[in-house]
Amino acid sequence: MESRPPRSTNDTELHASHNVFSYDVFAFAAPTTPRSPGLDSTSAGERLNETSSSGTLSTPYSSMIATPHSIARPSNVYSRHDPQTPMSFTSRVSSAALRTASSRPPFAFLPPPELGYDSSSSPATPLPQSSASTNGVPSTVDKYQDEKFSYPMDIEVGSTSTRPCSKQLSTIVGEEDSPYPEVRASVANTDDPDMPTLTFRMWLIGITLCVLRACLNLFFDLRWPSPAISETLVAILAYPFGKALDRMLPIRYWTIPPSIPVVGGRALSLNPGPFNIKEHTLVYMMSSVAGASPYGMNMIITTEKSYGTTLGTGFAFLFLLGTEITGFAFVAIGRSLFIHPASIIWPNSLVTSALLNTLHAEEETRNGQMTRYRFFVICGTGAFIYYFLPGYLFTGLSAFSWVCWISPNNVVVNQLFGTVTGLGMGLLTFDWSQVAYLKSPLVIPWWASVNVILGFVLFSWILAPILYYSNVWNMGHLPIMGYSAYDRFGLPYDTHRVLTPDKQLNVTAYQEYSPVYLPVTFALTYLVAFMITTSIIVQTMLYEGPAILAALRGTKVEDDDIHAKLMRHYPEVPSYYYVGVFIVGFSMLIGAIQLRDVGMPIWSLFLAMILPLAYLIPCAYIYAKSGTPVPINLVAQIIPGAILPGRPIANMVFKTCAIQSLARGLSFLEDLKLGHYLKIPPYASFWAQLVATIISVSAQIAVKNALFAAVPDICEPSQPNNLVCPSKGIFYSASIIWGLIGASRQFGKGSVYNFHVYGLVIGALLPIPIWLWHRRHPKSIVRHFNISVFLSAQTWVPPATGVNFTSYFIVAFLFQYLLRVRRHKVWAKFNYILSCALEAGTGIAVIVIFLALQLPKAGRISFNWWGNTVWLNTADAIGVPYLTTDPDKGF
């Protein structure tokens, strides 16, 4: 490979016809348009060195954004990396901000740059222009109209002291921005198409953190208790690594020999410029793939440890990777519905966007104002230090059942106010991990939070006590809260008593022993799950039917906002790419079930794929608009229980294929929306996610095999290092109930919970009157009521209790309603960053406590005092039922 000095830090001035950029898997420079002569480079260079006194953020984006104009470029400008190396105008304009990557503050517009432009070249799609004065600078501040407020952005658009680089940008973009305040608060309305994405350091950092997160989270998943490595923590860790490589890697360019297919003749560099926000976003996407151990890993561990059937590495690789990439292929269905429309905001992506923009934005303050980066550091540090109090020193602040401390032996009081097996009516907790157990209340929209608390109160605080203290379905003999199955003696269900030696159901023993009984809150969760199964489909048909039909006809669902217009610069990944991925993934699943006899015929695999296809669009609509996931676990277990009775392993395989494919499809769609917000080329997102999926699955299989070979008693309750595989027990119990005992014995005619089946009908009917009322009264408060979000609240119970919901709602009220309405600028500037800071600080503290204080000496490094034991010495912690049970006759 021949080396040569670069012509610029981005190796620009490589001609590309029609301004179509090529994004490959390697860190090749993005071509730019040719230089336009006639601009005085000296004067332009002097202007670039001006400083701003307006208190605004200078843009890191080059002037080559999505605009119908090409920018005149000065020559003879040199790179900061090498003063002897010429740098293109695009790199020069963005170099100062590229030192901190790319963003603008979400609370202010960028002043328009002064540089001129030539209106005769680029064919790119024009953007709407704002009214401007004769010198090209907008004369007024754009005001955004929201449902409840009208407010100007805090910047002096016409200030003569602003950086000239910033003035050009606002003129070109025309100050157009998203119509949604949540998006305006988190996402920049500008782009730099020349910013490198698939660079060497992106792949190095992305693969490294992907492998580390996948392996550590698999290990943590096998242990109890244990923390988890979150995406937010990975995003924070990636930043210093990227900046370090920015300074350590050599700034050299090579030309790949033309004889090499596909990539021959291109320029390659290990360090094409400062570490930027697009590289960081792709690293985040790769690490998000490795968020937790694949759902199918629990199936494999349960099959091997509980059923004594060894599946092998080949099956594990084919099965796990197959379930992952089939979900990846579902993205092709949802792009036009969930990525391009501005109204589909994806709240969780907004938080990530705010975090990345904060890390990469260089904010200049006026009058000592707090910057978002400084605010993030202060709050994150405070959250880290504070968590040692409820997480280690005084755990009673986490399980804050203060009423139970006063009357620890009163059963009814403990059932109503307890936080372990009670309904959690104590309202408060002082542990952020408990407050944000459902989702961060600073992220979820206010209307969704109201729906969630209403759903929880109705089912868990009104219906549950009525049913429980009336002893309906003999529930009074069981704890009021819990996710275990019980027998008629009020004891945990002993599945071994109803199994034959070859793990089949002994019907006679089952009839002599006991049906399966569920605590009242768990039984209501199953009832709600039946209702959601049909309500979410009917609701989607009623409310989103026109948009779905428009997408099927190939027409736009809604007009493009500024972000969709900026993304026109990047070619979409053809649908046949995703079709090819799906064919490969589905073939791998067929190979897996043929390689090992798991009792699942091939025809049932087709049905397992139809299920996530049917629920992808409904679930994506709810998740993308509310940030609240809607589970389909129930239907994914009932169907195989009905078509494959008496086959628990087949039931687990079917359930894994359906649930994991749907979950991955939603996750990949969410990452694509993040890429849409941060202007990541779709090809770059495609390859980053696909490569990360393959690597994370391979790494986790290797870690699982190594652990199971080195720890013979792994997954045993007495394992000294607490590697007890808690998920295995839940998976095993579900396989017995649904795969072995079957849905007909649990919910069929004459069974204890036969009424639950009517939930399918109730769920299908509930959305209709709400929709009709909304059509007749479109401005009424009912327009904010979402039946699927309302019902989904109960699916978190158990293990969530009332204290999780009430604390969540209180914080949501303070920030997503009061602060947003009364101090909207403060909310727009700091709300999402506060959420990231609290999550990051708490997450790091959890890991430190685990590694330093819980893992050594089998967790015996602890404070044994009243504050850590008071909540354990209560009827709530023990799970005392309301009614006593005869140990011989049962109930």
Side-chain angles (χ1 to χ4, degrees):
M1 185 175 291
E2 181 183 352
S3 65
R4 64 168 177 83
R7 291 181 296 178
S8 73
T9 54
N10 281 336
D11 200 32
T12 55
E13 282 66 63
L14 301 177
H15 178 68
S17 60
H18 307 296
N19 284 353
V20 175
F21 298 109
S22 174
Y23 293 88
D24 300 295
V25 190
F26 304 95
F28 301 127
T32 61
T33 54
R35 300 176 186 236
S36 300
L39 186 65
D40 180 8
S41 61
T42 304
S43 60
E46 293 171 354
R47 288 197 300 269
L48 281 172
N49 292 325
E50 294 180 8
T51 58
S52 171
S53 61
S54 64
T56 62
L57 175 67
S58 64
T59 174
Y61 296 98
S62 75
S63 50
M64 292 303 296
I65 60 174
T67 163
H69 313 294
S70 62
I71 307 303
R73 302 168 176 239
S75 58
N76 300 326
V77 183
Y78 296 93
S79 167
R80 73 165 182 86
H81 284 257
D82 184 356
Q84 303 301 318
T85 301
M87 182 172 66
S88 71
F89 175 72
T90 299
S91 299
R92 174 173 172 251
V93 170
S94 58
S95 63
L98 273 175
R99 286 195 292 271
T100 53
S102 57
S103 178
R104 63 173 174 84
F107 49 93
F109 284 126
L110 293 169
E114 290 176 338
L115 301 177
Y117 56 83
D118 175 20
S119 61
S120 62
S121 48
S122 170
T125 305
L127 299 179
Q129 303 294 316
S130 66
S131 59
S133 59
T134 55
N135 62 357
V137 179
S139 57
T140 59
V141 179
D142 190 12
K143 293 186 178 181
Y144 284 113
Q145 301 294 330
D146 191 35
E147 230 173 53
K148 295 185 178 179
F149 6 85
S150 173
Y151 54 93
M153 292 300 174
D154 52 348
I155 192 166
E156 300 175 13
V157 177
S159 173
T160 58
S161 63
T162 54
R163 294 188 180 182
C165 174
S166 300
K167 291 182 180 179
Q168 167 83 17
L169 202 53
S170 186
T171 301
I172 295 174
V173 176
E175 293 187 1
E176 182 183 3
D177 211 329
S178 171
Y180 298 94
E182 297 90 347
V183 179
R184 295 197 300 269
S186 308
V187 185
N189 64 344
T190 51
D191 180 34
D192 179 6
D194 290 342
M195 194 173 287
T197 52
L198 295 173
T199 62
F200 167 79
R201 64 181 170 225
M202 188 286 295
W203 287 114
L204 178 62
I205 299 172
I207 291 175
T208 301
L209 293 180
C210 177
V211 170
L212 287 176
R213 187 177 186 223
C215 296
L216 288 175
N217 277 349
L218 175 61
F219 172 77
F220 292 149
D221 192 55
L222 298 177
R223 193 183 186 278
W224 178 263
S226 64
I229 310 296
S230 68
E231 291 95 337
T232 300
L233 180 57
V234 172
I236 295 172
L237 292 175
Y239 182 70
F241 290 155
K243 303 305 286 186
L245 291 179
D246 172 357
R247 288 159 175 77
M248 293 169 56
L249 291 176
I251 306 174
R252 295 191 60 188
Y253 280 72
W254 294 269
T255 299
I256 300 177
S259 58
I260 298 179
V262 182
V263 299
R266 294 179 179 269
L268 173 65
S269 174
L270 299 181
N271 191 357
F275 184 65
N276 63 67
I277 193 172
K278 294 192 178 184
E279 294 174 282
H280 201 167
T281 304
L282 289 170
V283 169
Y284 175 88
M285 288 183 181
M286 295 182 71
S287 66
S288 68
V289 171
S293 61
Y295 195 68
M297 186 67 78
N298 293 320
M299 187 279 299
I300 293 173
I301 293 174
T302 302
T303 301
E304 294 182 350
K305 301 299 291 187
S306 298
Y307 289 99
T309 302
T310 302
L311 298 176
T313 302
F315 174 90
F317 181 80
L318 292 174
F319 182 71
L320 297 181
L321 187 57
T323 55
E324 295 273 322
I325 65 175
T326 49
F328 182 82
F330 290 163
V331 169
I333 302 173
R335 283 183 297 181
S336 60
L337 289 171
F338 306 113
I339 306 301
H340 304 145
S343 61
I344 310 298
I345 64 173
W346 292 90
N348 297 307
S349 293
L350 294 179
V351 178
T352 305
S353 176
L355 172 63
L356 296 175
N357 279 319
T358 297
L359 292 175
H360 288 272
E362 185 177 280
E363 299 179 67
E364 299 173 10
T365 60
R366 290 177 292 185
N367 302 323
Q369 290 181 346
M370 176 77 72
T371 65
R372 292 198 303 162
Y373 182 79
R374 184 183 176 193
F375 181 79
F376 173 80
V377 172
I378 292 174
C379 293
T381 303
F384 171 79
I385 297 172
Y386 171 77
Y387 183 75
F388 281 83
L389 185 61
Y392 183 71
L393 299 174
F394 189 178
T395 56
L397 294 176
S398 179
F400 193 62
S401 52
W402 59 277
V403 179
C404 301
W405 305 351
I406 299 173
S407 182
N409 298 318
N410 188 308
V411 174
V412 175
V413 168
N414 278 259
Q415 288 176 338
L416 295 179
F417 294 93
T419 58
V420 181
T421 62
L423 298 180
M425 292 184 179
L427 302 181
L428 292 176
T429 177
F430 297 94
D431 180 354
W432 178 253
S433 65
Q434 294 277 21
V435 174
Y437 179 80
L438 312 177
K439 286 285 184 178
S440 172
L442 305 178
V443 176
I444 304 302
W446 169 242
W447 65 266
S449 297
V450 173
N451 278 269
V452 167
I453 193 66
L454 291 178
F456 169 78
V457 169
L458 174 64
F459 287 101
S460 289
W461 279 6
I462 298 177
L463 286 181
I466 293 174
L467 296 174
Y468 185 77
Y469 294 114
S470 301
N471 198 29
V472 176
W473 301 320
N474 294 307
M475 291 176 175
H477 295 272
L478 311 176
I480 195 171
M481 174 79 73
Y483 53 81
S484 298
Y486 292 86
D487 57 22
R488 61 189 178 92
F489 303 100
L491 302 174
Y493 199 88
D494 186 359
T495 56
H496 296 286
R497 293 183 59 174
V498 299
L499 294 179
T500 63
D502 58 348
K503 304 295 183 181
Q504 298 298 314
L505 179 66
N506 187 329
V507 178
T508 303
Y510 170 78
Q511 293 173 345
E512 293 176 351
Y513 175 41
S514 172
V516 175
Y517 291 90
L518 304 173
V520 60
T521 51
F522 202 10
L524 287 175
T525 297
Y526 272 111
L527 174 62
V528 167
F530 275 98
M531 297 166 67
I532 288 180
T533 300
T534 52
S535 69
I536 190 173
I537 293 179
V538 174
Q539 177 184 339
T540 303
M541 293 172 60
L542 293 175
Y543 287 90
E544 313 295 347
I548 297 172
L549 292 177
L552 292 176
R553 289 194 298 264
T555 58
K556 284 189 177 181
V557 176
E558 59 185 61
D559 293 336
D560 288 344
D561 68 345
I562 180 61
H563 304 294
K565 292 172 183 176
L566 291 173
M567 284 299 290
R568 293 175 188 168
H569 257 280
Y570 307 106
E572 277 286 0
V573 178
S575 295
Y576 62 80
Y577 274 47
Y578 293 102
V579 173
V581 170
F582 179 82
I583 292 173
V584 172
F586 191 73
S587 300
M588 295 177 77
L589 291 176
I590 293 176
I593 64 176
Q594 292 296 105
L595 183 65
R596 291 288 185 269
D597 183 14
V598 293
M600 184 173 175
I602 293 178
W603 61 265
S604 63
L605 186 60
F606 283 89
L607 184 59
M609 289 293 103
I610 292 175
L611 190 61
L613 282 171
Y615 279 94
L616 177 68
I617 291 177
C619 290
Y621 264 118
I622 301 300
Y623 187 44
K625 290 188 174 184
S626 70
T628 305
V630 179
I632 63 162
N633 297 45
L634 179 69
V635 67
Q637 296 176 112
I638 289 179
I639 291 177
I643 64 176
L644 303 171
R647 303 182 189 182
I649 297 178
N651 187 282
M652 291 190 294
V653 172
F654 186 102
K655 177 178 71 171
T656 300
C657 291
I659 294 176
Q660 181 70 1
S661 297
L662 176 60
R664 277 307 178 204
L666 294 175
S667 174
F668 289 135
L669 280 172
E670 187 174 32
D671 281 346
L672 280 187
K673 188 65 176 186
L674 175 64
H676 182 85
Y677 283 145
L678 296 176
K679 317 304 178 293
I680 307 299
Y683 273 96
S685 300
F686 176 87
W687 288 114
Q689 290 177 306
L690 185 59
V691 171
T693 301
I694 297 172
I695 291 175
S696 64
V697 167
S698 303
Q700 289 182 329
I701 292 174
V703 170
K704 178 261 179 185
N705 289 343
L707 282 174
F708 276 61
V711 185
D713 59 345
I714 193 170
C715 296
E716 297 296 330
S718 58
Q719 213 286 322
N721 294 315
N722 291 333
L723 293 172
V724 296
C725 310
S727 298
K728 176 189 75 71
I730 299 173
F731 233 79
Y732 178 67
S733 298
S735 70
I736 295 297
I737 294 173
W738 297 105
L740 214 56
I741 297 176
S744 60
R745 293 186 177 90
Q746 192 68 18
F747 300 103
K749 188 175 182 180
S751 64
V752 177
Y753 303 107
N754 176 245
F755 176 78
H756 286 54
V757 178
Y758 295 99
L760 296 170
V761 179
I762 298 172
L765 295 177
L766 278 178
I768 298 176
I770 300 170
W771 176 73
L772 292 174
W773 181 271
H774 178 253
R775 282 174 60 90
R776 186 175 181 85
H777 306 282
K779 297 297 183 180
S780 70
I781 196 172
V782 177
R783 73 185 187 276
H784 298 300
F785 183 74
N786 189 301
I787 187 63
S788 295
V789 177
F790 174 83
L791 293 174
S792 69
Q794 185 62 25
T795 62
W796 291 93
V797 181
T801 66
V803 72
N804 300 113
F805 285 90
T806 52
S807 299
Y808 163 93
F809 181 73
I810 291 171
V811 175
F813 173 75
L814 293 176
F815 286 87
Q816 290 289 65
Y817 181 74
L818 279 184
L819 184 64
R820 179 177 173 180
V821 170
R822 299 187 179 184
R823 296 289 186 270
H824 189 274
K825 290 182 182 180
V826 176
W827 175 88
K829 184 176 181 179
F830 295 122
N831 180 70
Y832 290 137
I833 293 306
L834 177 60
S835 177
C836 292
L838 293 174
E839 179 185 349
T842 303
I844 295 173
V846 169
I847 294 172
V848 170
I849 291 173
F850 170 75
L851 295 178
L853 302 173
Q854 291 180 344
L855 191 60
K857 297 184 178 181
R860 290 192 294 270
I861 307 176
S862 61
F863 288 101
N864 187 17
W865 73 292
W866 176 86
N868 287 339
T869 59
V870 60
W871 61 278
L872 295 173
N873 300 321
T874 61
D876 166 51
I878 301 172
V880 178
Y882 179 63
L883 301 176
T884 58
T885 304
D886 189 323
D888 298 322
K889 298 179 180 179
F891 51 79

